[in-house]
Amino acid sequence: MTAHGAFRARGRFYEEFRVGDRFDSGARTLTGPDVAAFAEVTGDHNPLHASGATAADSPFGRPIAHGLLGMGLAVGLIEESGLHHGTTIAMLGISDWRFPSPVFIGDTLSARMTVTAKRPSSRPGRGVVTRRLELVNQAGAIVQRGETVLLVRTREGSGA
């Protein structure tokens, strides 16, 4: 933060993204307490996500993570890279999000981001960046994927 309390941008500005750019995140292992905390915050206590006999009897044979938890992890893993720190204004949308495989407790997950489109915003100082996100498990399988659209500061609109 600066002396005036504003965040200092260290992420990429709109001009620095190119269609086709790909970024890989670090990895994170999903724990039982992660899933339990998500269930508590959201109120989603579906037995598919709980440890015990009910989840073990599920079609997956063991507890799975909430789909939205996986989506949040994909976004968060990319955010941890600092790529968007201080330059993202808002997430404008999510589209075509898919769940090809379950996410299990104990999976070690990483995210891949590919810039698929970009265009100037109708408002000065902003641009729109579309990115494909993939959540990948330790075996290299894509367990979730979809697109998100971000409103991103331009260098001219950064106040720098």
Side-chain angles (χ1 to χ4, degrees):
M1 299 228 306
T2 66
H4 299 288
F7 282 102
R8 181 181 153 102
R10 61 179 164 94
R12 286 187 177 216
F13 291 95
Y14 171 78
E15 297 87 351
E16 296 173 289
F17 287 105
R18 303 280 180 259
V19 173
D21 283 353
R22 180 177 152 178
F23 305 92
D24 296 310
S25 76
R28 179 185 198 285
T29 300
L30 185 67
T31 68
D34 293 332
V35 174
F38 188 85
E40 202 56 40
V41 167
T42 62
D44 182 352
H45 297 283
N46 188 300
L48 287 172
H49 312 301
S51 59
T54 305
D57 293 335
S58 83
F60 305 103
R62 56 188 165 144
I64 61 170
H66 303 75
L68 293 178
L69 174 55
M71 184 188 301
L73 288 171
V75 170
L77 285 163
I78 292 297
E79 294 306 315
E80 282 184 342
S81 73
L83 190 61
H84 302 295
H85 183 84
T87 55
T88 296
I89 298 167
M91 183 184 289
L92 300 177
I94 299 170
S95 63
D96 199 32
W97 202 268
R98 302 291 179 185
F99 307 87
S101 298
V103 174
F104 296 105
I105 293 169
D107 278 355
T108 298
L109 304 163
S110 60
R112 289 192 291 241
M113 179 190 119
T114 305
V115 176
T116 59
K118 65 180 266 190
R119 64 174 176 79
S121 171
S122 59
R123 297 180 66 184
R126 302 168 180 203
V128 177
V129 175
T130 303
R131 60 189 187 164
R132 178 171 187 78
L133 293 179
E134 297 172 325
L135 185 65
V136 181
N137 70 12
Q138 65 281 352
I142 297 170
V143 294
Q144 292 189 16
R145 67 178 183 271
E147 285 198 341
T148 64
V149 181
L150 298 179
L151 188 61
V152 179
R153 286 181 171 78
T154 64
R155 283 214 174 270
E156 296 78 36
S158 69

